[in-house]
Amino acid sequence: MKGRRIALLGLGVENEALGRYLVSKGIRFALRDRAEGDRMRRLRREWGNAVHSWLVGETYLRSLAQFDLVYRTPGISFLHPDLAAARRGGTEVSSQTRLFFDLCPAAILGVTGTKGKGTTASLLALALAGGPHRRVRLGGNIGLPPISFVGELSRGDLAIVELSSFQLQDLHRSPAISVVLNIGSDHLDYHADQEEYAEAKEAICRFQTSDNYLVLNADCAATRRLGEDSPARLLYFSVAGEVETGAFAAQDRLWLRRLGARREEICKIRELPLRGRHNVANVLAAAAGAAAAGASVEQIAAAIQAMQALPHRLEFVGTFDGVEYYDDSLATTPEAALAALESFEPPIHLIAGGSSKGADFKELGAGVAAGGVRSLSLLGDEAQRIATAAEQAGYRGQVTLCESMQEAVESARGTAEAGDVVLLSPACASFGLFASYAERGRVFRRLAVELT
């Protein structure tokens, strides 16, 4: 890389980690971003002359032909017209994730899916912490860019990487073990269409060989198709019935079946510490992936018992005035919100809405109308569309359009009775009202405590 003209496009968490890596190697680069924020002002002081030029403004993606190599932040689509023009001009377009794959000497276990990636990746890390790999590190979309720990890894180690469609788009290698949870509908405000979104996900296994493992959801037609032409060793997981090789739920238990072996009991379903049928699927996916990586059934069972809900993923906030409050702010798709609704006994008071991702709320509306939801408190740009979808499906409960999270929590609290559940599961992105899903969840949690 030394001697090449390099630029980092967009200064988010990933490119900050990448910039630190380049600085540590004595590699100078340019930095471009749409706007100058606190992060850039801090790094201007910290990185000094390591960055030979800074360009801030709406034209930050123009004139990229002057660079030999550019690293895009995941928020900039691989298909962006300015990046396409740069590639035609001979500029290489890469990313922090792609560089990590090129540099990593350890085996990589990758996890992707429309929902459930963080829970599954975290459980895999727990299950494999005791071996057989010398060292196990967890990173990726879950919050820690893997380039930040690539220097610690060596042969015999394992890197578990949670991968979003944004990060998969420009890969030219696949992990040694790939886990695909589901392929639903998401980020249609970013991807050209559903087909292009699914194609981005497929990169996790596109370059696998016969020495690799591919773990697929047998209950999802879109993921099952990935195994049709794959040379990798296939494992499946299913909550609906037995699989020949992999992990499955049957007879109120979770089971593991290795290739050519008898099934082994992992645990009873009622022993799972995580709520919801979708989390049963996540646990089974982790069990199959951990088995592919060499974990014993005892390691997998112990990891399940130690597992706790991740922040903002059906996280229990507390019981106030007899009402249970749950923070599922990471549910940014209608499918995720529907799965959350199915995780509770009614009555439920749902807080939803936010900024658009191009989603269709028809199925969520049907789920709301099917019973169990006593009130809807909706906010953000998509509030009316969610309300309309529910009403068209036959919902006749209370619907309140709210201007703020405080108004939404007050509305739900005012309707809820002892024994009910107030659930924040937005089905939408957070932007417009909040900086991130995490901030949205924190505000909900604070208000749940303060207003009760």
Side-chain angles (χ1 to χ4, degrees), residues 168-372:
L168 286 165
Q169 276 185 307
D170 54 359
L171 286 192
H172 59 299
R173 291 177 56 195
S174 293
I177 302 172
S178 295
V179 179
V180 187
L181 301 173
N182 42 60
I183 300 177
S185 176
D186 197 9
H187 300 301
L188 298 185
D189 57 330
Y190 177 99
H191 292 281
D193 50 34
Q194 177 64 28
E195 184 178 354
E196 193 262 312
Y197 168 68
E199 186 177 332
K201 289 288 189 186
E202 291 170 12
I204 197 168
C205 58
R206 185 175 296 135
F207 309 104
Q208 285 193 306
T209 69
S210 58
D211 294 328
N212 299 153
Y213 290 90
L214 177 57
V215 178
L216 299 173
N217 185 350
D219 304 331
C220 174
T223 60
R224 284 200 312 271
R225 283 196 292 271
L226 299 182
E228 292 175 359
D229 300 314
S230 173
R233 306 173 194 180
L234 300 179
L235 295 90
Y236 293 91
F237 64 93
S238 172
V239 298
E242 294 198 22
V243 298
E244 186 176 339
T245 306
F248 59 93
Q251 300 159 340
D252 299 322
R253 289 168 169 77
L254 303 187
W255 305 88
L256 177 68
R257 178 179 285 133
R258 304 174 196 269
L259 183 63
R262 298 179 63 182
R263 68 181 189 178
E264 303 172 81
E265 182 177 335
I266 302 172
C267 66
K268 294 179 175 63
I269 293 177
R270 60 179 169 78
E271 295 173 346
L272 297 182
L274 305 180
R275 299 185 70 106
R277 180 182 173 89
H278 62 296
N279 273 322
V280 176
N282 293 337
V283 168
L284 290 169
S296 67
V297 72
E298 292 79 15
Q299 285 177 277
I300 296 169
I304 292 169
Q305 293 305 313
M307 184 67 182
Q308 296 180 343
L310 296 177
H312 315 299
R313 294 164 173 86
L314 282 183
E315 185 180 12
F316 179 59
V317 177
T319 301
F320 309 112
D321 300 328
V323 178
E324 294 184 353
Y325 288 74
Y326 285 86
D327 169 13
D328 194 37
S329 184
L330 192 59
T332 59
T333 67
E335 293 88 349
L338 187 57
L341 288 178
E342 293 170 349
S343 302
F344 295 94
E345 295 294 326
I348 301 168
H349 303 267
L350 177 64
I351 298 175
S355 54
S356 175
K357 298 171 75 178
D360 184 343
F361 297 106
K362 184 176 180 180
E363 288 190 16
L364 177 60
V368 169

Side-chain angles (χ1 to χ4, degrees), residues 49-109:
N49 292 332
V51 180
H52 59 73
S53 67
W54 303 74
L55 176 62
V56 180
E58 293 296 323
T59 61
Y60 75 111
L61 293 180
R62 305 278 176 83
S63 305
L64 297 180
Q66 63 184 286
F67 299 107
D68 302 312
L69 172 62
V70 297
Y71 290 97
R72 67 177 183 91
T73 193
I76 302 172
S77 172
F78 180 74
L79 302 177
H80 192 286
D82 288 331
L83 295 187
R87 282 191 291 271
R88 289 194 298 270
T91 299
E92 181 183 352
V93 178
S94 188
S95 65
Q96 177 268 157
T97 304
R98 178 169 174 154
L99 180 61
F100 171 77
F101 271 68
D102 285 340
L103 295 175
C104 183
I108 299 175
L109 191 164

